Amino acid sequence: MNILFENPDKVNGKLTLTIEEADYTQEVEKTLKDYRKKANIPGFRPGQAPMGMIKRQFGPSVKVDVINRVLGEQLQKYITDNNIHMLGEPLANEGQEPVDLDKEAPYTFVFDIAVAPEFNAQLGADDAVDYYNITVDDALIDRQVDMFASRSGSYEKAEEYQDNDMLKGDLRELDENGNTKEGGLVVESAVLMPNYIKVDEQKKLFDGAKLGDIITFNPRKAYPESDVELSSFLKIGKEDVANHTGDFSYQITEISRYQKAAVDQQLFDSVFGEGAVSSEEEFRNKIADGLAAQLTVDADYKFLLDVRAYVENKVGELTFPDALLKRIMLKNNEDKGEEFVEKNYAASIKELAWSLIKNQLVEAAGIKLEQDDVLQAAKETARIQFAQYGMNNVPDEYVENYAKEILKKQENVQGCVDRALDIKLVAALKSVVKLNEKSISLDDFNAMMSKKEA
């Protein structure tokens, strides 16, 4: 077998592989002998059919299979042995003539290989990158305390309507004279929050309303652009909304007002577990510790974005085999066509460049991922999900079990692997580069991130 690799411009490689008869004959003979042992051919006992018959019946297809297998194995072996940093997969050269395997060897196959560009993305103490320490101040803790108190609150009965109160009442459709419409809609215990009414004129009709009052209003005017809300309120299908555009009476039977929970031991226990904290000061300190941990995750994410921007600028624009990569992208998205490739190629190349740079940084840092690293990343995801529902005192056992459930879904695994890699890379880079540390409030940090994303 003869293999020739040409790579004159460093990124467009051409690999020519010539297969001789000796490269596949022995494997073909062995495979045919195995076929003979198992072949069930009428008129012959198993394993007794003439070899000539086996060769005539199975020889051509076996030869093709063996050559394809040898071709794939030798192609991959050469790329691995010669440390060729291939992008995507080999493609048959556009000038490749069809190979007639019915003819005698040798057979020549030519492949186009997209080769990764050469660059140096090393970072050291001379490289300075911003790092934002997000301040946990009293205002931020106050907001978190208020959030916990709001989540643990409850509805209490009231006599007079105020903003954000929830009403229950009997709803009746009226005729053009303001009387209850015969055969009209009637909805008992209809729930209404006037504060969410879209039109001020209709919303103001409920100002100062008291228990037992009858309010005449027009639901269609109150929700002029939302058939979904209107159909839900009137308990009818969306297609029927247009048939009920007149006034309705609404007699208030119940007024409920949401009251935040008191900042007391009961709230402390519900947030952090029974007896974990015993005073408001300890409660606030515990909140501050949790916020600091969460905000470090955000700060590290911003740091990695800044590292990316810094190192991309340092490396400069990389040269890629664009025509070949577009062919590969098209092959992987045949159902979407060339227009999709042209539209998405630039963004794809930008992410590919970062992926190559990131891999070099990971290799330079000697980072190796273990299964436990991936599990820890999944546990971080689990804690974030629990925290979104105000569950901050979930036992580690439950967090770990939920993390394992996350990893059982294959579509989640790569995300956890990427997250684990980012965690270790950030830790390594923070000890390598010079950090330009800056203190910043959470509001300013969020504003900065929003501006960046926009």
Side-chain angles (χ1 to χ4, degrees), residues 155-159 161 164-172 187-194 206 209-215 217 233 235 249-257:
Y155 278 99
E156 296 181 358
K157 297 295 183 285
E159 296 293 324
Y161 172 76
N164 293 314
D165 284 353
M166 181 173 68
L167 305 180
K168 277 188 181 180
D170 295 333
L171 185 71
R172 288 177 169 77
V187 182
E188 295 182 350
S189 298
V191 175
L192 176 65
M193 293 190 73
F206 293 86
K210 297 179 176 59
L211 198 62
D213 283 356
I214 299 176
I215 309 296
F217 81 115
F233 179 56
K235 306 297 183 187
S249 68
Y250 185 78
Q251 183 169 21
I252 301 172
T253 58
E254 185 178 298
I255 301 175
S256 298
R257 182 167 302 147

Side-chain angles (χ1 to χ4, degrees), residues 95-301:
Q96 170 81 56
E97 295 291 336
V99 178
D100 188 354
L101 297 182
D102 290 333
K103 294 182 178 180
E104 293 185 359
Y107 309 115
T108 299
F109 301 87
V110 183
F111 295 93
D112 291 328
I113 307 289
V115 181
E118 296 179 359
F119 62 92
N120 183 358
Q122 290 185 359
L123 295 174
D126 292 334
D127 297 295
V129 181
D130 292 341
Y131 187 87
Y132 292 89
N133 293 300
I134 307 172
T135 305
V136 180
D137 54 22
D138 284 340
L140 183 56
I141 297 173
D142 287 342
R143 277 156 46 185
Q144 196 74 0
V145 170
D146 186 69
M147 182 198 71
F148 286 135
S150 296
R151 284 180 174 174
S152 298
S154 60
Y155 278 99
E156 296 181 358
K157 297 295 183 285
E159 296 293 324
E160 183 175 345
Y161 172 76
Q162 294 180 4
D163 277 354
N164 293 314
D165 284 353
M166 181 173 68
L167 305 180
K168 277 188 181 180
D170 295 333
L171 185 71
R172 288 177 169 77
E173 190 171 13
L174 304 178
D175 60 21
E176 61 275 8
N177 297 318
N179 301 315
T180 300
K181 184 176 181 180
E182 184 175 352
L185 284 179
V186 175
V187 182
E188 295 182 350
S189 298
V191 175
L192 176 65
M193 293 190 73
N195 210 47
Y196 290 97
I197 289 177
K198 310 297 183 184
V199 178
D200 285 342
E201 176 191 358
Q202 295 293 313
K203 184 188 299 185
K204 288 179 180 178
L205 295 173
F206 293 86
D207 288 352
K210 297 179 176 59
L211 198 62
D213 283 356
I214 299 176
I215 309 296
T216 298
F217 81 115
N218 189 301
R220 174 75 277 177
K221 293 179 180 178
Y223 305 100
E225 298 176 355
S226 180
D227 287 351
V228 174
E229 286 183 82
L230 194 52
S231 65
S232 176
F233 179 56
L234 298 178
K235 306 297 183 187
I236 58 176
K238 286 193 296 182
E239 67 282 355
D240 200 28
V241 165
N243 298 322
H244 304 278
T245 58
D247 288 345
F248 282 71
S249 68
Y250 185 78
Q251 183 169 21
I252 301 172
T253 58
E254 185 178 298
I255 301 175
S256 298
R257 182 167 302 147
Y258 193 78
Q259 298 288 351
K260 297 177 185 178
V263 181
D264 56 15
Q265 190 62 47
Q266 186 175 350
L267 179 63
F268 307 157
D269 292 345
S270 69
V271 174
F272 292 115
E274 189 173 352
V277 297
S278 56
S279 68
E280 185 172 352
E281 182 181 1
E282 289 181 11
F283 184 57
R284 292 176 66 86
N285 289 339
K286 190 87 169 175
I287 288 173
D289 291 342
L291 286 171
Q294 293 173 30
L295 296 178
T296 296
V297 173
D298 295 338
D300 285 350
Y301 172 70

